[in-house]
Amino acid sequence: MDTTQIKDTPPPTPQPTVAEQKRAARGATRPGDRVFLGLSRGSGILLLVIMAAIAGFLTYRASIAISKDEANFFTAFEWNTQLVPPKFGIAVLVFGTVVSSIIAMAIAVPIAVAIALFLTHYAPRKLRGPIAYVIDLLAAVPSIVYGLWGALILVPHMNGLYGWLDDYLGWTGIFSWQGGAPRSMLTVGILLAIMILPIITNVSREVFRQVPQMHEEAALALGATRWEVIRMAVIPFGRSGVISASMLGLGRALGETMAVATVLSPTFDIQASLLDPGGGTFAQNIASKFGEASELGRDALIASGLVLFVITLLVNGAARMIIARRKEYSGANA
Amino acid sequence: MSNAVITDKGPSTLRGASLPKWSPYAIAAGSVALGLGISAAAGLSSSIQWALIAGLLFVLGTYVIAARVEGRRQAKDRVATALVWVAFLLAVVPLVSLVWSTISRGVKVLDFYFLTHSMGLVADSEPGGGIYHAILGSLEQVALATVIAAPIGVLTAIYLVEYGRGKLAKAVTFFVDVMTGIPSIVAGLFILSIMLMFDMQPFGFAGSLALAILMMPVVVRSTEEMLKLVPNELREASLALGVPKWRTILKVVLPTSLGGITTGIMLAIARIAGETAPVLLLVWGNSLINANPFEGAQQSLPLYIYQQYANSAGAGAAYDRAWAASLTLIAFVMILNLVARGIARWKAPKTGR
């Protein structure tokens, strides 16, 4: 393995210095070359400009809204943009977004890792290709369809489970149920888990596939069972990849709009129990309040969108940093 | 050989005792039967519950039986196998249910009339009407978004692969990665904040702009991967003949990777065709046919599904239309996906690897 790698790599060349690079770029003196370089570099710069513009415009509109806000934007438990003076805050949205994402991650990550292991190590060889293909296709199902399915099929099916949780775990407080329709954070979390499952599975599978065959064979030769091979060779190798895959999934869960908007019956307060309907998430709040929002109302929603933007930026940036350490795989086209 | 007699633990055989090959199936069947039995006895109606009970019984049963016969390490291995299978089945159930319910409920009202009529004279609670206006709006918005995003995305990828060195390229790479994670509603809010500034009313092209923002990074990433697959020898051969770099890229690199680039763009189209949130903010929705994406509210397929669901107050006719529209949308996305993958396989660059 190592010898082939050595053969493949070109002989070491001295790194071009900055001056050399500039000379090389200037060397493109043909007009066609200059135009083409300008065009392609221009579109790269355009992408950066768009990112900057997103941050800039959102911050500008948000600052208008926050300057008119009579309550504390980060801690207030209400959303009344029509009041004089207007009072609104994102505390409820932060709570709802974080809770629904945590539930989604708690369910999706173990199952996705298990499916990735299934596809790389357990499934009958003939089945691996088709199953991976189906999971690829499922990643392409639009979120609104998941939302419709969640609201009309999943919600009625949750009644039994909710009653059960209330009977046996109701004493914990977070699983108590007053009998409302199960359009609550737990159902939202489960639906989000189903939605982000394909992404996490795809990226984890790519990672597990790259575990050096030698490591696995060495473990097997020492008499390890299949599970011991996975624990000793596969998981340690794939850990950082699984973490970044999970964070990509988390990014999706945080920003998911339509599935939450269709399933959740929102209220602007915090429910102690995951089973009682209520609460809200950033994206859901924007989608459902937007219709009847005044100009200030829209600016307030933009302000909450800015917070969501910053959160997803941090999560995705962190995920990419972890991925960048291992260049070979990247989840961008998963 | 593997069917060693279970009671035979004598040291004379070299192999330890092991369960027969059919044992996992037997345990699975037993636990499903037990799960069904328990739920029937306790009067549990939900299928989620008995499935969970059966899954739990399967894992526990596997451990207990394997630990007694084969020993601790083998038992752990069998439990891991059982868990992985259970996880797989757990994940398959909702996904199958999703596909099945969309198809079975969608075909109810999906016919030629449904595809060729709008909701102009039909109240949301009544049966009838169709999705012609939504299909038209979706196609226009997605086409405009593609016209904007595809060239920019491909050019950016060319820059990153063929020219990119230094800080600018690194920054572009990083922000393209970050951009893939922008929630669609944030892209919508961005365009909205511009529209608020100029006091504009919702129109189709605004939605296209937001969709283009979502599409660009996807196109960049997939095109980049494809360009990297083009063997360097091709570039060198062309340059050695004195062909300028830009013509090398246009005439050698791009044609070689055209199949892959097309695939990437089609997958990106499939992704944005299902986006609802930005369209909800920017295009607003319309029950009439509006073929002009530059003026007035339009409809789009995903938005139509949402509005049929949300505005119908539980009317069966609206739900039927929502399912039928979902089926249409899924069919559109899936066909795009399948064709894209077909092109990828057909036109895959021969890298010699």
Side-chain angles (χ1 to χ4, degrees):
Chain A
M1 191 119 187
D2 278 335
T3 51
T4 55
Q5 268 178 3
I6 288 169
K7 231 187 278 170
D8 279 348
T9 46
T13 47
Q15 282 293 312
T17 62
V18 179
E20 273 172 346
Q21 278 174 24
K22 277 185 181 161
R23 220 174 300 139
R26 237 182 289 138
T29 44
R30 290 191 186 89
D33 266 342
R34 246 178 293 155
V35 169
F36 202 74
L37 174 61
L39 269 179
S40 58
R41 186 189 280 162
S43 8
I45 293 172
L46 181 67
L47 277 178
L48 295 185
V49 170
I50 290 174
M51 283 299 284
I54 293 176
F57 273 93
L58 291 186
T59 313
Y60 170 65
R61 298 306 298 197
S63 67
I64 296 177
I66 294 176
S67 66
K68 289 183 187 155
D69 189 1
E70 289 294 313
N72 186 322
F73 181 66
F74 290 101
T75 56
F77 273 67
E78 55 183 328
W79 194 271
N80 293 313
T81 50
Q82 312 278 17
L83 276 185
V84 186
K87 288 184 174 175
F88 52 90
I90 55 170
V92 172
L93 306 178
V94 173
F95 180 81
T97 308
V98 169
V99 166
S100 60
S101 302
I102 288 178
I103 298 173
M105 298 299 284
I107 299 171
V109 171
I111 294 185
V113 170
I115 297 177
L117 286 175
F118 178 78
L119 287 176
T120 51
H121 290 83
Y122 284 95
R125 232 163 247 286
K126 272 184 201 159
L127 280 182
R128 287 180 193 180
I131 294 174
Y133 193 66
V134 168
I135 288 179
D136 272 353
L137 288 184
L138 285 169
V141 172
S143 61
I144 181 67
V145 178
Y146 278 107
L148 189 70
W149 176 80
L152 296 182
I153 309 279
L154 182 64
V155 163
H157 273 94
M158 294 302 288
N159 273 313
L161 185 69
Y162 270 36
W164 221 26
L165 282 173
D166 184 41
D167 285 348
Y168 297 107
L169 294 170
W171 52 271
T172 53
I174 53 172
F175 289 118
S176 64
W177 186 38
Q178 290 165 5
R183 298 175 165 273
S184 70
M185 280 299 165
L186 182 65
T187 311
V188 169
I190 292 174
L191 183 60
L192 288 177
I194 296 171
M195 293 179 63
I196 62 178
L197 202 65
I199 310 157
I200 305 182
T201 305
N202 277 343
V203 181
S204 305
R205 194 187 75 218
E206 283 307 307
V207 181
F208 291 150
R209 217 187 247 162
Q210 297 184 3
V211 175
Q213 195 79 37
M214 297 285 184
H215 292 193
E216 291 178 33
E217 282 166 8
L220 281 173
L222 290 173
T225 59
R226 187 149 54 167
W227 166 242
E228 285 161 347
V229 170
I230 287 171
R231 226 192 48 214
M232 293 189 302
V234 179
I235 301 277
F237 182 88
R239 190 175 291 133
S240 69
V242 170
I243 291 174
S244 58
S246 315
M247 290 177 88
L248 288 179
L250 177 62
R252 289 266 170 106
L254 288 171
E256 179 46 48
T257 313
M258 302 325 290
V260 186
T262 48
V263 167
L264 191 68
S265 70
T267 55
F268 217 82
D269 53 11
I270 288 175
Q271 297 290 343
S273 167
L274 300 176
L275 272 55
D276 288 329
T281 72
F282 279 109
Q284 168 272 326
N285 187 53
I286 295 169
S288 49
K289 292 251 164 64
F290 179 77
E292 55 263 26
S294 60
E295 171 132 9
L296 174 65
R298 291 181 182 187
D299 281 344
L301 292 176
I302 289 176
S304 73
L306 176 66
V307 179
L308 175 63
F309 176 62
V310 172
I311 295 174
T312 49
L313 217 61
L314 292 177
V315 169
N316 279 301
R320 298 300 174 181
M321 295 271 193
I322 300 172
I323 287 189
R325 280 196 225 145
R326 287 232 174 91
K327 267 287 177 203
E328 302 92 309
Y329 47 79
S330 133
N333 24 9
Chain B
M1 283 297 261
S2 60
N3 289 17
V5 184
I6 291 175
T7 46
D8 179 16
K9 282 186 183 174
S12 57
T13 50
L14 286 172
R15 285 181 68 101
S18 64
L19 287 170
K21 266 193 179 161
W22 44 263
S23 62
Y25 306 105
I27 298 173
S31 44
V32 166
L34 252 176
L36 278 172
I38 291 177
S39 349
L44 303 174
S45 55
S46 165
S47 49
I48 295 179
Q49 281 158 301
W50 78 254
L52 284 176
I53 295 176
L56 205 66
L57 284 174
F58 178 51
V59 173
L60 282 179
T62 307
Y63 185 79
V64 171
I65 295 174
R68 284 199 54 180
V69 177
E70 296 179 324
R72 268 280 168 81
R73 283 179 55 218
Q74 301 299 327
K76 266 191 192 167
D77 182 47
R78 281 190 185 271
V79 165
T81 311
L83 273 176
V84 163
W85 272 95
V86 167
F88 172 69
L89 292 177
L90 263 186
V92 162
V93 168
L95 298 174
V96 168
S97 157
L98 175 90
V99 173
W100 170 245
S101 49
T102 309
I103 293 176
S104 64
R105 297 181 185 216
V107 292
K108 259 196 245 168
V109 291
L110 185 64
D111 53 18
F112 188 69
Y113 180 89
F114 185 73
L115 293 174
T116 51
H117 286 75
S118 76
M119 293 293 291
L121 297 170
V122 186
D124 280 339
S125 54
E126 293 170 11
I131 55 172
Y132 177 72
H133 56 314
I135 294 178
L136 188 71
S138 259
L139 288 180
E140 285 180 355
Q141 289 151 27
V142 169
L144 284 170
T146 310
V147 167
I148 300 170
I152 296 179
V154 171
L155 278 171
T156 306
I158 289 176
Y159 172 70
L160 289 177
V161 175
E162 305 290 333
Y163 295 100
R165 254 162 231 98
K167 275 184 194 157
L168 179 64
K170 264 191 192 150
V172 173
T173 309
F174 180 76
F175 277 104
V176 164
D177 281 346
V178 172
M179 216 170 159
T180 25
I182 293 182
S184 55
I185 196 144
V186 171
L189 286 176
F190 164 56
I191 304 295
L192 177 73
S193 62
I194 297 176
M195 281 168 68
L196 282 178
M197 218 158 273
F198 297 103
D199 209 19
M200 285 187 280
Q201 294 304 309
F203 60 108
F205 185 63
S208 305
L209 287 174
L211 294 180
I213 292 177
L214 296 171
M215 189 176 172
M216 276 177 216
V218 186
V219 175
V220 175
R221 288 314 308 239
S222 57
T223 309
E224 220 186 326
E225 299 295 320
M226 287 306 132
L227 292 180
K228 277 180 189 161
L229 285 181
V230 176
N232 245 341
E233 287 83 350
L234 286 185
R235 293 190 185 89
E236 284 159 8
S238 167
L239 290 172
L241 290 172
V243 180
K245 188 162 184 177
W246 68 279
R247 284 187 69 91
T248 305
I249 294 171
L250 280 184
K251 298 280 175 185
V252 176
V253 178
L254 282 184
T256 314
S257 51
L258 196 61
I261 294 175
T262 319
T263 304
I265 292 176
M266 288 178 76
L267 290 178
I269 293 175
R271 188 187 151 188
I272 61 164
E275 286 293 351
T276 319
V279 184
L280 173 72
L281 301 187
L282 303 169
V283 187
W284 204 255
N286 191 344
S287 61
L288 301 171
I289 298 170
N290 175 10
N292 182 359
F294 295 97
E295 201 186 343
Q298 267 192 314
Q299 187 60 285
S300 97
L301 213 39
L303 184 56
Y304 176 90
I305 300 170
Y306 177 62
Q307 290 182 340
Q308 288 297 319
Y309 168 75
N311 301 345
S312 61
Y319 284 169
D320 284 347
R321 280 194 295 266
W323 283 113
S326 298
L327 182 58
T328 316
L329 182 60
I330 287 193
F332 177 67
V333 170
M334 289 299 154
I335 290 172
L336 266 180
N337 259 286
L338 291 174
V339 172
R341 277 157 214 276
I343 292 178
R345 191 166 297 175
W346 174 47
K347 281 260 176 189
K350 318 272 184 295
T351 57
R353 274 203 284 174

